[in-house]
Amino acid sequence: MKLTADVGIIAAGPAGLCAAVSASEAGASVVVFEKANNVGGTANMGMGPFGVESRIQKAAFSNLTKEAVFRKFMDYVHWHTDARLVREYFWKSGDTIDWLEDMGVKFIGATKYFPDSDATWHIVQPEDGSLPGPRAATTMNKVLYKKALELGAKFYLETPAYKILKENGKVCGILARNASGEEIELRCKAVIVATGGFGSNPEMIKEFTGYDFGKNMFNTAVPGLVGDGIKMVWDIGGAHGRMTIEATGGRTPVGDGDMEAVHLGFVFSQANLTVNKQGFRICDESVMQNTSVAANIIDEQTDKRIYNILDDSIIKKFRRNGMPFTSSVFGGSDVDNFDERFTKLTELYPDCFFAADSLEELAEKAGINADNLVETVEEYNDACDMNYDDVFGKSRKYLLPYNGKRFYAAIGTIGGYGTLGGIKVNWKQEVVDSGNNPIPGLWGAGSDINEIYDGTYMFYLPGNTMGFAVNTGRIAGERAAEYALDQD
Ligand SMILES: Cc1cc2nc3c(=O)[nH]c(=O)nc-3n(C[C@H](O)[C@H](O)[C@H](O)COP(=O)(O)OP(=O)(O)OC[C@H]3O[C@@H](n4cnc5c(N)ncnc54)[C@H](O)[C@@H]3O)c2cc1C
């Protein structure tokens, strides 16, 4: 099959969908190839994108400004990233939230992820009117898809692209293959690549990040994200970008499918005692509300694990007073019938959850040094008595002593939302070669090009990767359309 268009887009995750809408709005004809049988990619698992100075924030009298948020971000990443690319994204982001709203996406508001973060996370209201939770952003993807179709973009689902065509130094098309094995050749003037990274490719993860997928790192492996776009770009001379895991950490590696494990796991992240295998405390536990910080703390440990400890006296206090942290993602967490429910988890996941009638027994089951754990708990209880944590200066409000009779441990490992980076772009999102020269006609968007975090995902400004995807997708669509229409 032979097709022609102004702009060809590889993939229909949020980056590809936004590119399809903006390129079509700019007057370009658009063809999109998507590997899966549906659109939305990883964002179908998420809740919403980052934005600053959106109408929603202004209506809520938010005092966040793009300049202040930009500065905060750049200081956080040590200016060790392309400031101009970040600037383009942040300056666009408020308007992109308004643009999505005008298209029909409803947001419940702009919220924080954890207390120390800023309210930049624009959470999508699901179309069925249910309370937003994981997967809420599916509704945003559906609205984008409908809009792109209305504007005339053509989508080919279950049709993975496998080659970018280049002639006389310029990109000029895409080869893809549909579900019946038929080859499709698209001839186009500009190509946008947005295939979401290599989060379900253990070999690439090992080679480019050093982690052993499923052993010391458990990122969410969305099927099909195997680095196709990155490899296609490298094949035609695109330079390698910085590649990292979008690491988060602190929870047990049982997957998001078991919500009981997720909810009880959240009880363990309430800033009580966390130790390493040696039985020593390793941080002010409250900082691990920022799960990318938690990932770094876990990464520092020799076995890439932490052990979160609780006892029944603390559970009793939680039952009476509530838990200090709440979460819009893990909102269903409670401690009703904790011992009974937790015991079931220890049977289901004996390598992740442990319960015992003494600290020594708990240590033995979990593989923690027992003498040190007992000493650590004594020291911690002294800190609670003194109302002062002399080790890490943790806030008094989290200092609850361990004086119960039943003890619990849950391991925390490195997880993540997938991978970041691989395709090198300049601040205009033009894909560049190893000499930093743009490859004419080729743009990148979304996680394939996202290397803006200097290794640690910036969770203080939540919504940041979906925000990067929707904004860089939108920008790539605008620029690729302008370029393609200029070629006529
Ligand atoms: C559980 C979970 C929750 C999350 N929640 C949030 C959140 O609330 N806020 C936030 O900011 N971020 C969140 N994220 C991250 C966010 O979803 C991603 O950053 C975002 O989806 C990246 O968008 P993308 O378009 O670059 O790639 P993706 O969404 O990963 O889409 C890539 C697309 O490429 C397609 N594809 C791959 N290869 C090919 C090929 N050869 N040809 C054609 N198509 C191909 C795939 O099928 C897929 O549809 C979450 C991630 C996870 C796992």
Side-chain angles (χ1 to χ4, degrees), residues 447-465:
S447 293
D448 278 344
I449 66 159
N450 188 345
E451 52 176 75
I452 63 172
Y453 303 117
D454 193 28
T456 300
Y457 177 44
M458 210 309 186
F459 235 122
Y460 291 107
L461 300 171
N464 224 296
T465 38

Side-chain angles (χ1 to χ4, degrees), residues 84-130:
R84 190 68 193 267
L85 177 65
V86 177
R87 184 261 175 217
E88 297 295 288
Y89 154 34
F90 277 26
W91 260 243
K92 191 89 169 172
S93 66
D95 185 64
T96 295
I97 298 291
D98 302 348
W99 179 70
L100 289 165
E101 273 198 300
D102 293 342
M103 233 177 270
V105 181
K106 294 193 176 69
F107 295 96
I108 59 150
T111 69
K112 298 181 174 193
Y113 193 97
F114 54 91
D116 286 345
S117 60
D118 284 311
T120 54
W121 195 23
H122 289 73
I123 294 185
V124 177
Q125 169 62 59
E127 61 187 341
D128 64 4
S130 62

Side-chain angles (χ1 to χ4, degrees), residues 10-16 33-36 38-50 121 137 159-162 194-197 220 222-229 232 246 256 416-418 420 445-448 457 462-469:
I10 304 182
F33 295 118
E34 167 55 51
K35 187 183 214 176
N38 60 2
V39 300
T42 316
N44 288 333
M45 305 181 76
M47 291 174 61
F50 162 94
W121 195 23
T159 306
Y162 65 89
T195 62
T220 308
V222 174
L225 300 197
V226 292
D228 287 350
M232 280 184 260
E246 189 183 353
D256 286 347
Y417 294 132
L420 298 173
S447 293
D448 278 344
Y457 177 44
N464 224 296
T465 38
M466 203 185 293
F468 186 81

Side-chain angles (χ1 to χ4, degrees), residues 280-340:
F280 299 122
R281 279 180 76 201
I282 42 187
C283 63
D284 166 350
E285 291 83 354
S286 67
V287 302
M288 288 197 289
Q289 284 301 301
N290 179 336
T291 79
S292 23
V293 165
N296 284 349
I297 291 168
I298 299 168
D299 198 46
E300 283 297 301
Q301 310 311 315
T302 46
D303 60 347
K304 305 268 185 264
R305 282 168 175 227
I306 53 168
Y307 302 79
N308 297 309
I309 312 287
L310 279 172
D311 78 357
D312 53 351
S313 72
I314 293 174
I315 295 296
K316 203 166 154 188
K317 289 188 184 102
F318 284 168
R319 192 172 300 120
R320 200 170 52 223
N321 306 327
M323 290 186 281
F325 294 117
T326 55
S327 160
S328 41
V329 183
F330 307 110
S333 301
D334 64 51
V335 290
D336 296 344
N337 306 318
F338 184 86
D339 188 62
E340 191 186 315

Side-chain angles (χ1 to χ4, degrees), residues 169 424 426 428-433 435-442:
K424 186 92 194 132
N426 61 20
K428 296 178 181 168
Q429 294 174 227
E430 293 163 326
V431 175
V432 295
D433 64 19
N436 232 14
N437 310 299
I439 298 176
L442 189 57

